[in-house]
Amino acid sequence: MAKIFAYGIRDDEKDALNAWRASHPDVTVEYTEQLLDPKTAEFAQGFDAVNVYQQLDYTRETLTALHEAGINKMALRNVGTDNIDFEAAREFGFKISNVPVYSPNAIAEHSMIQMSRLLRRTKELDTKIAKHDLRWAPTIGREMRMQTIGIIGTGHIGQVAIKIAQGFGAKVIAYDLYQNDAIKNQGLYVDTLDELYAQADVISLYVPGVPANHHMINAESIAKMKDGVVIVNTSRGNLIDIDDVIARLNSGKIGDLAIDVYENEVGLFNADWSGKEFPDPKIADLIARDNVLVTPHTAFYTTKAILEMVQQSLSADLDFIEGRVPSIAVKY
């Protein structure tokens, strides 16, 4: 009987895990709410594979501990693999999978909702209404259909975002090093990022946080954008230089900002800071601004996405155990 041990299982994941377990009666699945680290790796002793989701790094020390526990199969319930020590993983012969597509709609919808909120100034309106100030002016919004929306990255998520923006009647332009035929046939691509920067009223990012994209939104690129540009980032925190962005918010070059990710979010996001000293003055500054929306890496967080993340990853674990290569195996 195949045996899988899952780490970091949250309450919202348990229904999906139990449903998968019920549909695979010949597989033993046990779990802990604790994250995988060098100490908890011993929980997997006697199992065939592990299932994980966490912001902690999968360090050489952690992978060594798993290896010593007899584990070399690991399925991630998330997309990102940049926190894995792949040199150690190769050395120990780890087979690894992730879940690259769980619900593009979840992230695309969130990005477009935040974009719309910025354009309609809902944060300011909410503050006014909470004070029982029910006057319209001067909190006047803009219509999505009047905007040119620049989509950077036209993978699964970017394609859904394009459809949503077009549903509002917006003009969409797009840029991607690897062009999609469906988007290309619509004539949406521009040839360079500089063209997109110059034309877009709103810019939304849907690209991975690979080294080539590190701090792609910086002082130099922002200078090429329209005055008052709106920037939305629900992809990876390292895509923007937060210091440059704050400086351009201060100058008015950036009119509005929505972020769901932050380069230094580990240990900050997904924690309750109420009644405590907030540890990051940059995020505190952004949260306090009427023209900035901050969410703590929750764009993915829907019931559909959680179901897919849990069940696809457990199926990948089982594939590894039974000698198959799952379609979502990570090539490294």
Side-chain angles (χ1 to χ4, degrees):
M1 176 180 283
K3 299 178 68 177
I4 301 169
F5 192 86
Y7 287 89
I9 293 294
R10 306 182 306 270
D11 286 345
D12 57 78
E13 295 177 307
K14 290 177 182 177
D15 284 347
L17 183 148
N18 288 329
W20 189 92
R21 184 160 54 182
S23 66
H24 295 79
D26 293 333
V27 181
T28 296
V29 181
E30 296 185 15
Y31 63 84
T32 179
E33 295 179 359
Q34 297 183 59
L35 299 178
L36 172 64
D37 62 28
K39 292 182 179 179
T40 61
E42 67 182 19
F43 297 170
Q45 186 80 44
F47 287 78
D48 302 305
V50 294
N51 189 282
V52 292
Y53 178 93
Q54 62 193 58
Q55 293 177 313
L56 295 178
D57 288 341
Y58 303 101
T59 62
R60 171 174 287 276
E61 187 180 6
T62 295
L63 295 179
T64 298
L66 279 179
H67 174 69
E68 291 175 351
I71 299 293
N72 69 348
K73 302 172 183 67
M74 182 168 68
L76 278 62
R77 303 194 296 277
N78 58 288
V79 180
T81 60
D82 52 334
N83 57 345
I84 300 173
D85 185 331
F86 279 114
E87 182 179 346
R90 279 189 289 269
E91 183 178 325
F92 297 131
F94 267 86
K95 297 176 180 178
I96 300 172
S97 67
N98 65 346
V99 185
V101 182
Y102 41 84
S103 179
N105 294 68
I107 297 167
E109 286 178 11
H110 183 82
S111 65
M112 290 292 132
I113 289 168
Q114 296 297 78
M115 183 185 300
S116 180
R117 289 185 64 206
L118 290 173
L119 292 171
R120 296 308 296 262
R121 301 175 68 180
T122 60
K123 187 175 181 180
E124 294 170 78
L125 282 168
D126 288 345
T127 300
K128 286 174 64 174
I129 292 167
K131 297 176 180 178
H132 296 171
D133 180 355
L134 305 185
R135 294 172 294 176
W136 307 336
T139 319
I140 191 168
R142 289 168 284 171
E143 297 178 29
M144 289 273 279
R145 69 187 179 92
M146 303 299 293
Q147 312 306 309
T148 297
I149 298 177
I151 302 294
I152 301 178
T154 56
H156 295 286
I157 300 168
Q159 290 175 50
V160 176
I162 288 171
K163 290 179 181 178
I164 296 171
Q166 290 174 327
F168 277 99
K171 176 183 178 181
V172 175
I173 58 175
Y175 177 81
D176 200 316
L177 284 173
Y178 308 98
Q179 296 188 355
N180 174 278
D181 287 341
I183 306 303
K184 190 173 184 178
N185 290 338
Q186 294 183 60
L188 301 184
Y189 284 116
V190 293
D191 292 329
T192 66
L193 274 175
D194 285 356
E195 290 179 70
L196 185 142
Y197 293 151
Q199 297 177 36
D201 301 301
V202 185
I203 295 172
S204 198
L205 307 175
Y206 305 98
V207 294
V210 296
N213 294 332
H214 184 76
H215 286 184
M216 64 184 296
I217 304 300
N218 56 37
E220 182 180 353
S221 60
I222 296 167
K224 300 172 182 177
M225 299 175 190
K226 288 186 175 183
D227 292 344
V229 66
V230 177
I231 297 177
V232 178
N233 183 19
T234 56
S235 293
R236 285 292 181 264
N238 72 320
L239 299 180
I240 68 174
D241 184 319
I242 200 67
D243 294 317
D244 286 353
V245 165
I246 289 173
R248 274 60 189 182
L249 281 165
N250 291 340
S251 71
K253 178 66 178 181
I254 298 175
D256 302 270
L257 172 72
I259 58 170
D260 184 61
V261 287
Y262 177 49
E263 191 168 5
N264 299 313
E265 68 181 55
V266 176
L268 178 69
F269 285 4
N270 199 27
D272 184 0
W273 297 102
S274 56
K276 304 174 187 176
E277 181 179 355
F278 195 76
D280 193 306
K282 295 174 186 177
I283 291 297
D285 170 74
L286 292 172
I287 290 171
R289 296 176 185 245
D290 285 338
N291 62 338
V292 176
L293 297 172
V294 176
T295 48
H297 209 136
T298 57
F300 81 98
Y301 195 48
T302 67
T303 53
K304 171 63 174 175
I306 295 303
L307 177 72
E308 291 295 333
M309 294 165 83
V310 171
Q311 298 199 349
Q312 286 189 43
S313 61
L314 287 170
S315 293
D317 269 326
L318 184 58
D319 281 344
F320 282 140
I321 293 168
E322 295 184 343
R324 298 183 297 272
V325 178
S327 61
I328 56 175
V330 174
K331 297 180 177 66
Y332 70 96

